[in-house]
């Protein structure tokens, strides 16, 4: 993994700017793993990312907490938004289309620790930490393929 990059997010608008900037860097086959406790802003980040990629700021983006996965056919690739919170382990992930997501879409994964050995080595880890009522810190760490992309990140 490359050295951590920390970004202060004073409000949800800053989170949306980071999501849009990262969306510009995504390629088919990418996996973005979202870490953080309940209420850290993983779903808010995901909504902002999907809306940015769709080009529609009003895009309906329901949380996949109960459905476990939502698939968005976007202009550049299909984005698979997984929420694995309710899973007990990686054996349950295959039923959700994990292999299809890895085969050419982009996977956005909340609670990626549930993937176990299925967690790809080539990925971007984004950890959201609550720092105040509206503020967060985003910590990004990626595999070497992410180095040049993160060096170009501007939000």
């Amino acid at each position: 993994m490359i050295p951590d990059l920390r970004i202060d997010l004073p409000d949800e608008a800053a989170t949306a700017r980071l999501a849009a900037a990262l969306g510009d860097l995504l390629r088919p086959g990418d996996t973005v793993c979202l870490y953080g406790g309940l209420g850290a802003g993983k779903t808010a980040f995901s909504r902002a990312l999907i809306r940015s990629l769709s080009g529609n700021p009003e895009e309906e983006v329901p949380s996949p907490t109960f459905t476990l996965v939502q698939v968005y056919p976007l202009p550049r690739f299909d984005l698979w938004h997984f929420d694995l919170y309710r899973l007990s382990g990686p054996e349950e992930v295959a039923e959700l289309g994990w292999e299809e997501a890895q085969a050419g879409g982009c996977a956005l994964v909340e609670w990626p620790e549930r993937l176990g050995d299925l967690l790809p080595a080539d990925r971007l880890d984004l950890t959201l930490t609550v720092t105040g009522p509206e503020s967060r810190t985003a910590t990004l760490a990626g595999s070497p393929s992410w180095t040049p992309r993160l060096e170009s990140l501007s939000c």
Side-chain angles (χ1 to χ4, degrees):
M1 290 293 201
I2 61 173
D4 292 354
L5 171 64
R6 288 185 183 12
I7 301 172
D8 290 326
L9 304 170
D11 52 30
E12 196 168 331
T15 300
R17 286 191 298 276
L18 173 60
L22 277 177
D24 290 341
L25 304 178
L26 289 178
R27 302 174 186 156
D30 280 341
T31 298
V32 177
C33 296
L34 300 178
Y35 293 90
L38 291 171
K42 297 180 298 296
T43 300
F45 175 87
S46 299
R47 280 191 180 111
L49 176 69
I50 294 163
R51 287 175 176 155
S52 172
L53 288 169
S54 75
N56 179 1
E58 302 300 319
E59 175 91 21
E60 184 177 341
V61 182
S63 172
T65 299
F66 297 104
T67 60
L68 304 176
V69 64
Q70 294 282 346
V71 182
Y72 297 90
L74 300 170
R76 293 178 18 225
F77 46 74
D78 288 349
L79 186 132
W80 295 64
H81 181 194
F82 294 90
D83 185 331
L84 306 180
Y85 181 74
R86 296 186 308 125
L87 297 188
S88 60
E91 61 281 351
E92 297 178 70
V93 176
E95 300 169 21
L96 301 178
W98 180 250
E99 288 183 17
E100 292 88 344
Q102 298 293 293
C106 183
L108 181 62
V109 186
E110 298 185 44
W111 305 98
E113 51 275 359
R114 305 287 202 282
L115 286 170
D117 291 341
L118 295 176
L119 189 64
D122 188 12
R123 67 181 188 273
L124 176 67
D125 291 342
L126 189 153
T127 302
L128 292 166
T129 306
V130 176
T131 56
E134 301 294 322
S135 62
R136 309 287 186 265
T137 296
T139 304
L140 292 85
S143 57
S145 72
W146 277 93
T147 301
R149 291 190 268 175
L150 290 179
E151 288 173 349
S152 71
L153 183 67
S154 63
C155 50

